[in-house]
Amino acid sequence: TSISKDIAEADANVVPVVPRLLEKMRDGVEAAKSKGGLKSKLITLTVWSAGERFQAEKNGSSASLPAKVGYAVTGSLRLKIRKMLFGSELNFCLSGGAKLSLDVAEYFVALGIPIREGYGLTETAVATNVSRADTPLGSVGPVLASDIELKLLDDDEVCFRGPNVALGYYNRKTATGKSWDEEGWFHTGDLGSLDERKNLRIVGRKKEIIVTSGGKNIAPNDIEALIKNSPLVSQVVVVGDGRKYCVALITLSDVGVSAFAKRERIADSNALHKNELIYNKIWSHVQSVNTGLASFETIKKIHILPEDFSVENGFLTPTFKVKRALVEKTFKDEIDGLYP
């Protein structure tokens, strides 16, 4: 199976990262905006003007004159940010291992840092899809080669068949039967959609779909990604399966909260997860996210946890995916407390 020419030729200058690292990088840039002084003001202007220009182009309109001027005079700073984060020889950044938030992808592309997304599983010899330069952000692109077959089931589960796909699990007949059907299609357990150009977009995990007590189906990943756009937030787990409504467990971003605490002169750094000002700031952000959601998707309550999720404390996998079942089991009392 051959991969696309542009990816092959760029291989020497590709920086592979997991989405969590990109989120941390964005948080670092955002924190630099709040340190005060001329440097912070210039970084603020750089990020703002780049974002304004990107959104205008995305919407088919023209950026405001201040944004155009700001973008023109901060070109060297955009290059400096790019070099500081990825070095001077970057061709593009390849994200994989978990779903990348659209807002994070747009943040870096606006600053002139090309982002591509890859998708695949161990059972498919890793990569099956990689986005190209002309692939819409938020998509993992088309299949890498014509002999990789892709289809969506009626419930939108993503399935693959091809020479790169394993025939089953070694000496595990029952497990193989659950993941491979009689026609040789491997069922990934991921939910997706395809556009007219066969670009695949991953929606979430089939087993992670929340079904409320009212029978509403909710994909938590996109909601979590929107909440994580706050510089104060590190990780989010939306809970609501079998419940009347959805709530969210939230962990704090060390970088973002430290900058906020310094700016607001919050003294007790050991109990920031209990600080009323930080809680209200995050809750206000969640309420803003709620305005763009269907009523049954909205987050009714939140709980801020005292410690961030990490590989070391067991709440993240080695590829920085949240172990939802473990989180919900460990913090059952906190979750139950959000439901009267």
Side-chain angles (χ1 to χ4, degrees):
T1 301
S2 61
I3 64 175
S4 65
K5 184 179 179 182
D6 63 330
I7 294 174
E9 291 180 345
D11 184 63
N13 298 323
V14 174
V15 177
V17 296
V18 293
R20 186 71 190 122
L21 293 181
L22 288 173
E23 292 168 4
K24 288 289 188 182
M25 290 177 180
R26 180 195 61 179
D27 291 347
V29 176
E30 287 296 300
K33 292 164 49 178
S34 61
K35 291 184 176 180
L38 178 60
K39 183 178 179 180
S40 292
K41 291 180 179 179
L42 288 174
I43 294 174
T44 299
L45 176 62
T46 301
V47 174
W48 172 79
S49 60
E52 288 289 302
R53 182 176 181 272
F54 177 88
Q55 291 301 327
E57 290 183 351
K58 179 182 176 181
N59 297 326
S61 59
S62 179
S64 65
L65 181 59
K68 288 180 178 179
V69 173
Y71 188 83
V73 301
T74 56
S76 60
L77 271 173
R78 289 194 303 276
L79 288 175
K80 189 173 183 179
I81 291 173
R82 173 173 168 158
K83 184 177 180 180
M84 177 184 68
L85 295 177
F86 298 103
S88 59
E89 302 298 324
L90 176 72
N91 190 299
F92 60 81
C93 176
L94 181 59
S95 175
K99 184 179 179 181
L100 176 65
S101 165
L102 178 60
D103 291 293
V104 174
E106 290 182 345
Y107 185 91
F108 286 100
V109 171
L111 289 171
I113 300 169
I115 299 289
R116 309 280 180 87
E117 287 190 71
Y119 173 79
L121 304 93
T122 302
E123 294 89 343
T124 63
V126 193
T128 58
N129 300 63
V130 174
S131 63
R132 317 299 204 258
D134 60 349
T135 302
L137 290 178
S139 162
V140 296
V143 292
L144 283 169
S146 58
D147 53 0
I148 300 177
E149 297 179 80
L150 163 63
K151 75 172 182 178
L152 302 181
L153 300 182
D154 291 340
D155 63 356
D156 293 330
E157 183 176 5
V158 180
C159 297
F160 289 102
R161 185 170 65 178
N164 60 310
V165 180
L167 301 178
Y169 300 119
Y170 182 66
N171 282 342
R172 296 177 63 194
K173 186 175 181 180
T174 301
T176 296
K178 290 180 179 179
S179 296
W180 278 264
D181 61 29
E182 294 179 353
E183 296 179 346
W185 287 96
F186 170 64
H187 296 227
T188 65
D190 287 323
L191 300 176
S193 63
L194 290 169
D195 66 17
E196 66 280 357
R197 296 175 61 188
K198 302 299 182 183
N199 290 309
L200 175 64
R201 178 178 178 271
I202 300 300
V203 176
R205 289 289 294 170
K206 186 174 181 178
K207 64 181 180 181
E208 291 175 356
I209 293 297
I210 292 172
V211 183
T212 66
S213 59
K216 298 294 186 179
N217 288 8
I218 301 169
N221 303 75
D222 289 342
I223 299 173
E224 291 163 354
L226 291 171
I227 296 174
K228 286 166 69 175
N229 281 332
S230 166
L232 302 182
V233 174
S234 177
Q235 297 285 0
V236 181
V237 173
V238 171
V239 178
D241 198 51
R243 309 267 192 168
K244 293 182 294 183
Y245 52 81
C246 290
V247 300
L249 298 179
I250 293 173
T251 68
L252 299 177
S253 165
D254 290 339
V255 175
V257 169
S258 294
F260 181 81
K262 182 178 181 181
R263 186 168 65 251
E264 299 296 329
R265 298 181 180 179
I266 299 173
D268 189 2
S269 60
N270 294 319
L272 293 177
H273 66 289
K274 296 180 180 180
N275 183 271
E276 185 177 357
L277 189 60
I278 291 174
Y279 178 93
N280 290 339
K281 185 75 173 178
I282 293 175
W283 176 236
S284 177
H285 171 66
V286 171
Q287 289 180 307
S288 177
V289 169
N290 280 340
T291 61
L293 302 176
S295 59
F296 62 86
E297 295 176 309
T298 56
I299 305 300
K300 300 298 192 291
K301 297 180 181 180
I302 64 172
H303 180 83
I304 300 176
L305 298 174
E307 183 182 14
D308 197 5
F309 303 147
S310 67
V311 176
E312 290 73 22
N313 63 25
F315 291 113
L316 295 184
T317 70
T319 55
F320 300 97
K321 296 176 184 176
V322 176
K323 297 180 181 178
R324 291 176 178 274
L326 180 61
V327 170
E328 292 191 33
K329 180 180 179 181
T330 303
F331 300 105
K332 182 181 183 302
D333 290 343
E334 288 81 354
I335 293 170
D336 289 343
L338 298 175
Y339 294 94

